[in-house]
Amino acid sequence: MINRDVLIEKVLEFKYDFFQFIDYINSHDGAMEFPFTTYVQFYNKKVLSQDNESLKNILSLDNLLAGGIFTHHDKVSGMLVMSKVVYDLLVFLDVSRNKELSHAKFESLRQQTEQSTINIMHCETGSQDYRDQLNLFWDLISEILTTVKENIRVLHYKVDEVANQYGQFEAGQQTHSINELYETAQQLHHRHIKPCLEFINPDIQLVNRKNFVESIDALMDYYRQSGHESIAIAIRYKLTAITSYYKDIESLSNRLLTYLYSLAEQRRYFMAIEQRYNALMQTFEKLYRHGGQKNLYLTADLEDISDMGCFDGLSSHKLSFSAKFDRHPEKSIQQFKHYFEEIQQRPIKQKVDISHAPKMPDKTLQSRKNDILKHIASLPKEQFIEDIHQYLDNYLKTSINEYTLVDVLYGLEFYLSLIPKTKIRQLSERRRVEDGSYYWEYRVLTRINNQANPHMTDLKLKEQVND
C-alpha cells in the first residue's frame, strides 16, 4: 500500500483538477459524491499524458481507494465518494470553494454542546465515564472554534463577492439582474451570516433550551461550585476565543445589510416600472383583440393611462404652447443651425467668480495692538510702580476706547519688554482686575529702583508671559 503522505502530495500537484470534483459536490449537495466518469476523464487526460509510470500507479483508482483518498466506488450509481479529510484539506486551500454553514449545522453544534455539558455534570467526577465525556467536550469545543473561524473566512469571501457584483451593477457592467443580486445577498445573510451571529450571541433566548453560551456558563458554574476553579478558567478561555468573533460577524452583517437596503430600493423601483409597463401592454392587447391595430393613440381615455395623474394638464399645455412646437422638421433644423452659428460668433465673456476671491485681511486686531503699544511707549520707565497690573489697567481705561480686559494682557506684554528684568519683582500676594464682564487673578508685579526686597523673587521671562 502506498503511504498516504505520497498520495496527498500527488493529489496536491493536481489540486486544480480536484477542485472541479469539489465544485460538483458543492453544487449537488451530495454526500461527498461525484461521477466516476469525471475522474476517468481526468486520469486519461492529465495523468496518462505524463511520462511518469510511478505517477500513473499512485493516482490509479485502486490505490486512491486503498489509501483512503476515495472511500467508496458505487458501481450501481457510478459515483465516487471522496474522503471528508481530503475534502476539508482542499477547501482549506481554496476558501472560495468552501460552503457557508447554515442554521442546521449551528443547531447541531448547539445541541451537542448542551448535551455534552449535561453528561459531564451527571457523571461522577473522576470516573472513566467522566473523563470520556470531558474529552468529548474538549474535542467539540476545538471543532466549534475551528468551524466558526473557517466560516468567517468563507463569509468574508462571499460578502466581497457580493460587493464586487454590486459595484459592477452600479457601473452598468452587471452580469446578473437586480432580482438575482438581491436574492443572492438576502440568502447569504438569512441562511449563513445570521445563524452564525445567533450561535455565539449570548442574548439569544430559546424556548426550553439553552443557547451555546448558556450551556458553557452552566458548566463553568458547576466546576466553580465543586471547587475546580482551574477547569472553569480553562473553559472560559475557550469560550472567549469563540465569542471574540462576534464583532467580525456583526461587521459582515452590517456591511451586507447596507448592500441589501440599496438593492431593495432599486428592486422596488424596478418592479414598479415593470408593473406599470405590463399594465400598459395589457391595455394595448385589449385594443388588438378588437381589431383596432391601426391609428392607435395614447389618449387620456385609455384604461391604464386614465389612472395616472402624471399626464394631467397636458392638453391645456398643448393649447398654450403648440405653436412653439408645431414646426416643420426641416425648418426647425435650419433654425437651430442658424442659432448655433450665431452663438459661435459671439465673443465669450469670462465670468468672474467672486465667491472664491480672497478676502482682505482683517487688521482690526493689529491696529488695536499698535494703538496700545503707542500708549505704553509713552509711559515713564524709571518710576516706582507698586502694582504694574493695576497701574496699566487704570491707565488704559482712560486712554483707549471700548476697553476690555484683553487690552491689559497686550499692555503688560509690551510694558515688560521695555523694562529690564532686574527691575521687576514678583510678590506672592494675589489680586484681581476686571472690566465688568470678566476678571483676571494675578500675582503682583512691582517696578523697583533700589535693591530687591528680601520678600520678593526674581521673575523669569517665561513666568511673566504665562502669568
Side-chain angles (χ1 to χ4, degrees), residues 2 12 30 43 45 77 83 95 117 145 159-160 164 169 171 173-174 203 207 211 224 292 317 320 328 348 382 445 449:
I2 301 175
L12 294 181
Y43 186 82
K45 183 178 180 180
S77 62
S83 170
V95 67
T117 56
L145 179 58
V159 172
D160 289 341
N164 291 334
F169 177 81
Q173 304 172 354
Q174 73 277 12
D203 297 328
V207 180
N211 61 40
R224 290 193 184 100
H317 187 274
S320 303
H328 194 276
I348 299 177
E382 300 296 332
L445 298 181
N449 288 325

Side-chain angles (χ1 to χ4, degrees), residues 227-341:
H228 297 84
E229 185 67 27
S230 59
I231 301 179
I233 294 175
I235 296 175
R236 166 58 64 184
Y237 286 150
K238 292 290 186 180
L239 177 62
T240 303
I242 295 173
T243 56
S244 63
Y245 289 105
Y246 181 83
K247 291 183 178 180
D248 295 331
I249 294 292
E250 188 178 30
S251 176
L252 284 173
S253 176
N254 294 336
R255 181 184 175 194
L256 189 60
L257 285 175
T258 302
Y259 295 128
L260 270 174
Y261 176 78
S262 179
L263 288 171
E265 288 294 310
Q266 298 185 44
R267 181 171 175 264
R268 183 169 63 87
Y269 296 146
F270 172 79
M271 293 180 66
I273 295 174
E274 186 179 32
Q275 182 181 5
R276 175 54 61 188
Y277 175 78
N278 292 335
L280 183 62
M281 293 307 298
Q282 290 177 2
T283 300
F284 286 133
E285 289 177 359
K286 293 179 181 179
L287 295 176
Y288 292 155
R289 285 198 298 267
H290 296 287
Q293 299 184 11
K294 296 182 179 179
N295 301 323
L296 296 178
Y297 296 97
L298 295 175
T299 64
D301 299 332
L302 291 178
E303 179 181 349
D304 185 65
I305 297 180
S306 62
D307 297 332
M308 302 173 64
C310 59
F311 297 120
D312 294 347
L314 287 181
S315 58
S316 59
H317 187 274
K318 180 180 178 181
L319 294 176
S320 303
F321 300 96
S322 59
K324 294 184 178 181
F325 295 98
D326 188 14
R327 293 180 177 178
H328 194 276
E330 295 183 358
K331 292 182 180 180
S332 299
I333 293 296
Q334 292 176 357
Q335 291 176 353
F336 175 76
K337 289 182 178 179
H338 177 70
Y339 172 71
F340 184 70
E341 291 175 357

Side-chain angles (χ1 to χ4, degrees), residues 352-360:
V352 180
D353 186 6
I354 61 173
S355 61
H356 300 289
K359 297 181 180 180
M360 293 294 292

Side-chain angles (χ1 to χ4, degrees), residues 64-114:
L64 293 181
L65 285 169
I69 302 300
F70 299 143
T71 59
H72 180 61
H73 177 205
D74 190 343
K75 296 182 180 180
V76 177
S77 62
M79 305 295 284
L80 275 176
V81 180
M82 182 180 291
S83 170
K84 182 65 166 59
V85 175
V86 177
Y87 175 88
D88 292 338
L89 175 61
L90 290 172
V91 297
F92 178 78
L93 295 176
D94 187 358
V95 67
S96 65
R97 286 180 164 83
N98 202 342
K99 293 191 298 183
E100 314 94 310
L101 300 182
S102 62
H103 173 75
K105 176 63 176 178
F106 286 110
E107 177 61 18
S108 175
L109 293 174
R110 187 204 64 79
Q111 292 178 0
Q112 294 180 54
T113 304
E114 184 179 14

Side-chain angles (χ1 to χ4, degrees), residues 119-143:
N119 292 340
I120 291 175
M121 290 185 288
H122 286 176
C123 290
E124 182 181 355
T125 304
S127 64
Q128 185 61 45
D129 289 341
Y130 167 80
R131 289 194 293 269
D132 292 341
Q133 291 296 333
L134 186 59
N135 289 333
L136 288 175
F137 172 77
W138 288 125
D139 291 341
L140 178 61
I141 290 297
S142 298
E143 178 188 353

Side-chain angles (χ1 to χ4, degrees), residues 26 314 415:
N26 292 341
L314 287 181
Y415 185 80

